[in-house]
Amino acid sequence: MEEEGDKGVFAHHREEKEVGAFSMAAGREAKLQLVQRHVRAFPDFPKKGIVFRDICPILKDAAALKAVIDLFEEHVRNNHQHVDLIVGLDARGFLFGPLLAQRLGIGFVLVRKKGKLPGATVSVSYDLEYGKAEAEIQEDAVAPGQKVLLIDDLLATGGTLYAASELMRKQQAEVLGCMVVIELKELNGTDKLKPHRVFSLIQY
């Protein structure tokens, strides 16, 4: 039979958990707001009709940059218990990927534009708005069976992240998901990346 004192202890522990969960949620929301305040919008850049989302203020502000990495780290630790590598896309994925990889205690791999990496490489072509491009990695960068997460600053149409996922498929690696700071939802980039899930901090 449960004593009154035991009930009080259990209730206290439950309250502590609820307060802790609320505090974590409040902290997460504060970090998201901080990041969002440091994204600038430039209409009609690089051409008329496009709103360019500039992440340079995030990089300039230590607290905002830390908030980005905190949020990515929290997502990975909560959703992906075993990750071997963070794979970053040329070029802004290189800004966030190594910081996250260091936090997680794992390695970082570069996906670069064609012709930028020495040694034996593996490449795939992908569509741009006007023409095609190629992405590549070094042949020994990712081993078969390794579990990887892809990271970039922004998801628009999904072309470059899709190319990166195809590179991972060629290497017989397992893509656990994709992570971006900003997602432009109206461009439906997530559809191109299915079945891979996309975690985005900010959506427009």
Side-chain angles (χ1 to χ4, degrees):
M1 184 174 173
E2 198 174 64
E3 299 291 337
E4 288 297 322
D6 293 335
K7 288 180 181 177
V9 169
F10 292 143
H12 178 67
H13 285 167
R14 187 167 59 250
E15 284 176 8
E16 281 187 336
K17 282 186 177 180
E18 288 171 354
V19 169
F22 177 79
S23 177
M24 283 179 63
R28 189 181 307 116
E29 185 59 33
K31 288 175 183 177
L32 285 170
Q33 289 177 7
L34 176 63
V35 173
Q36 191 154 15
R37 286 199 303 272
H38 284 78
V39 176
R40 291 187 297 192
F42 286 93
D44 298 323
F45 183 86
K47 63 181 184 179
K48 192 168 180 62
I50 292 177
V51 178
F52 185 88
R53 304 292 176 176
D54 179 23
I55 62 164
C56 290
I58 292 175
L59 302 172
K60 187 180 175 182
D61 186 274
L65 181 57
K66 181 179 182 298
V68 169
I69 305 305
D70 286 349
L71 292 162
F72 279 146
E73 180 187 10
E74 179 186 46
H75 169 74
V76 175
R77 294 194 185 281
N78 288 342
N79 296 278
H80 305 290
Q81 301 306 311
H82 181 72
V83 185
D84 296 306
L85 294 167
I86 300 295
V87 177
L89 277 64
D90 196 345
R92 294 186 182 94
F94 302 167
L95 301 173
F96 303 106
L99 296 174
L100 176 60
Q102 185 181 49
R103 286 270 192 99
L104 297 169
I106 60 178
F108 174 77
V109 169
L110 297 80
V111 171
R112 296 225 60 186
K113 295 179 176 69
K114 181 77 172 174
K116 300 292 186 181
L117 291 170
T121 59
V122 179
S123 65
V124 297
S125 63
Y126 61 99
D127 293 327
L128 296 172
E129 189 175 359
Y130 303 105
K132 287 184 175 290
E134 285 190 76
E136 66 180 6
I137 58 169
Q138 291 176 314
E139 196 173 62
D140 60 357
V142 181
Q146 285 194 301
K147 299 178 187 298
V148 305
L149 283 165
L150 308 180
I151 190 167
D152 203 0
D153 68 321
L154 180 137
L155 171 62
T157 60
T160 51
L161 276 167
Y162 177 77
S165 68
E166 285 296 289
L167 281 172
M168 295 304 106
R169 186 181 62 80
K170 276 191 171 185
Q171 295 300 94
Q172 300 175 51
E174 181 184 348
V175 177
L176 300 177
C178 306
M179 298 178 293
V180 295
V181 180
I182 298 168
E183 178 187 350
L184 305 180
K185 287 190 71 68
E186 65 181 15
L187 298 179
N188 300 315
T190 53
D191 292 343
K192 191 175 186 69
L193 297 172
K194 289 177 180 177
H196 305 308
R197 292 187 176 182
V198 177
F199 173 71
S200 55
L201 300 185
I202 302 168
Q203 299 176 342
Y204 292 103

